[in-house]
Amino acid sequence: MLLALVDPLSAGKSLCYQLPACLSAGVTVVISPLKALNLEQFKELTELGINAWTPSDDQSERVQNRIYKQLINEDPEIKLLYVTPEKMRDTWLIKALKSLNGRKLLARFVIDEAQCIIEVGYDFRPTYGTLYELLKEEFREVPIMAVSGLIGPGIQGDILNQMNNHQVFTMPFNRFNLKYAVVKRTTKLGVEECITWITEHYPHESGIVYCWRKVDCDDMASSLNRAGLLACSYHSDVTDEDREIAQNKWNENECKVICATSAAFGMGINKPDVRYVIHSFLPESMEHYHRETGRAGRDGNMSRCILFFSDRDEGLLQQAIMGLPAPIPRHKAVHER
């Protein structure tokens, strides 16, 4: 049995497997792409008094052994176990899961952010691309739930082609509390436009500015700070420690704006009071754009999503992603919904 769930962001996808995990016997294994995302889910569940765990290579051997012993106990206390796809190749974990399965205590597998199976699986995270084959080979009778936000029909079809006997549940993607605007920018990086717009509309509220390159994130954050808007830069060249500090400051409203690449600051952003998401450059795809703007307004209050674009953006995207020549510019209008 497989259930593939495709929902809009902030629609409570996690609840679809967390609630059954708490109400049913056995252990639910959630396979999620980011250690930081797993750790955040673990902390949130622990604060609610739910017994969850996420093993990590950073943990001591003593801690790892304690998790292993809990899993092989006659009546394991752990209800949700969060792991990365790579962790599913660890011998000790597979042995523990087989022990659970043999005692009918392996309740289900959940593949969170399932779009990563196709989007990053084969090239960047090969264990993601072969995840389903591993689960069906080792745990043939265990139910699998694949959970995703907005994905296009092509990616959805590729995922479902890997899986047999599937059911698909979807929800409408429109978020009525998000107001979208697309505006042609007049400057190269959109720094001045961002400063003007944020100062005019949300100078004291939380927001995200997505930038095309890592150096653009640094330049944007520096410019916003000089304009009196507290900002932090967030991308893969920033150390893990500094990224954690930046995100904690943002969550606590000590930093108002995160200037980030979409790759670094994408999944697992659950701050409810993000009032705006700005793209200073044309996003990679409509699916990416929807997921990234979906970080706004999770508390249900009105929020705004602004896209500043230039005629040259599409050509630069094609050259960077596919190595194609720049096309003739097509964007001519400014529109708002």
Side-chain angles (χ1 to χ4, degrees):
M1 170 187 173
L2 181 139
L3 179 149
L5 177 67
V6 183
D7 267 357
L9 293 161
S10 78
K13 295 183 291 296
S14 299
L15 189 62
C16 293
Y17 59 81
Q18 289 174 348
L19 183 59
C22 293
L23 296 178
S24 61
V27 178
T28 293
V29 179
V30 184
I31 305 167
S32 185
L34 299 178
K35 291 181 182 179
L37 179 55
N38 291 344
L39 184 60
E40 182 177 334
Q41 295 274 5
F42 159 65
K43 288 180 178 178
E44 290 178 356
L45 291 169
T46 301
E47 289 172 359
L48 293 172
I50 298 169
N51 202 326
W53 202 268
T54 177
S56 168
D57 294 334
D58 300 329
Q59 294 166 342
S60 66
E61 185 176 347
R62 179 177 61 83
V63 173
Q64 297 266 11
N65 287 337
R66 188 167 78 239
I67 300 172
Y68 173 75
K69 288 179 180 178
Q70 282 201 39
L71 293 175
I72 64 175
N73 279 345
E74 182 177 346
D75 185 19
E77 296 179 359
I78 294 176
K79 301 302 294 182
L80 288 124
L81 182 69
Y82 285 82
V83 299
T84 61
E86 289 76 14
K87 202 68 181 176
M88 285 298 297
R89 296 292 179 177
D90 280 8
T91 303
W92 74 267
L93 180 60
I94 292 295
K95 184 176 179 181
L97 295 181
K98 285 183 175 180
S99 172
L100 286 170
N101 193 34
R103 292 174 287 139
K104 305 298 182 184
L105 291 175
L106 186 54
R108 64 189 61 79
F109 287 104
V110 179
I111 304 176
D112 202 1
E113 303 292 350
Q115 73 276 2
C116 293
I117 293 175
I118 304 301
E119 290 184 347
V120 304
Y122 297 108
D123 294 329
F124 303 108
R125 305 282 291 275
T127 46
Y128 231 137
T130 58
L131 188 56
Y132 182 71
E133 289 84 351
L134 169 67
L135 296 181
K136 297 313 293 182
E137 179 180 340
E138 300 287 352
F139 307 98
R140 184 170 296 276
E141 302 303 320
V142 180
I144 301 173
M145 177 186 290
V147 185
S148 172
L150 174 65
I151 52 178
I155 292 178
Q156 186 177 151
D158 288 343
I159 293 172
L160 296 179
N161 282 340
Q162 296 187 24
M163 305 173 175
N164 299 319
N165 303 320
H166 55 261
Q167 302 176 55
V168 180
F169 294 83
T170 62
M171 290 179 62
F173 295 112
N174 193 19
R175 297 264 307 279
F176 293 102
N177 66 316
L178 299 186
K179 185 176 182 180
Y180 288 83
V182 180
V183 182
K184 189 169 184 178
R185 68 176 189 269
T186 58
T187 60
K188 183 177 180 181
L189 299 177
V191 173
E192 290 82 357
E193 284 91 341
C194 288
I195 291 174
T196 300
W197 191 91
I198 295 171
T199 302
E200 180 180 349
H201 294 93
Y202 296 109
H204 305 297
E205 305 289 340
S206 290
I208 303 171
V209 177
Y210 282 112
C211 303
W212 172 234
R213 301 174 303 171
K214 291 174 280 191
V215 66
D216 299 338
C217 298
D218 297 335
D219 292 342
M220 182 71 73
S222 296
S223 298
L224 291 175
N225 279 310
R226 285 195 298 270
L229 301 166
L230 301 178
C232 294
S233 184
Y234 194 106
H235 52 75
S236 60
D237 283 350
V238 178
T239 66
D240 290 344
E241 181 181 0
D242 286 343
R243 273 188 283 177
E244 183 176 356
I245 291 172
Q247 187 164 352
N248 287 338
K249 284 184 176 181
W250 185 66
N251 286 331
E252 298 299 324
N253 291 319
E254 296 174 16
C255 163
K256 295 298 183 182
V257 191
I258 287 283
C259 304
T261 57
S262 59
F265 203 69
M267 294 173 284
I269 309 303
N270 294 316
K271 196 173 192 297
D273 59 343
V274 177
R275 292 278 69 87
Y276 61 90
V277 172
I278 296 176
H279 284 72
S280 63
F281 193 91
L282 197 67
E284 198 170 312
S285 68
M286 282 300 297
E287 290 82 10
H288 281 82
Y289 184 62
H290 185 277
R291 290 202 294 265
E292 290 154 17
T293 56
R295 314 299 167 197
R298 293 193 168 198
D299 56 5
N301 294 328
M302 183 60 66
S303 303
R304 300 183 69 176
C305 306
I306 307 298
L307 168 58
F308 292 113
F309 78 94
S310 167
D311 288 340
R312 61 196 299 267
D313 289 357
E314 185 176 3
L316 293 173
L317 272 173
Q318 288 183 339
Q319 288 175 322
I321 297 172
M322 304 177 65
L324 298 177
I328 298 173
R330 296 180 303 172
H331 306 293
K332 297 297 180 184
V334 176
H335 58 89
E336 181 163 345
R337 177 172 69 82

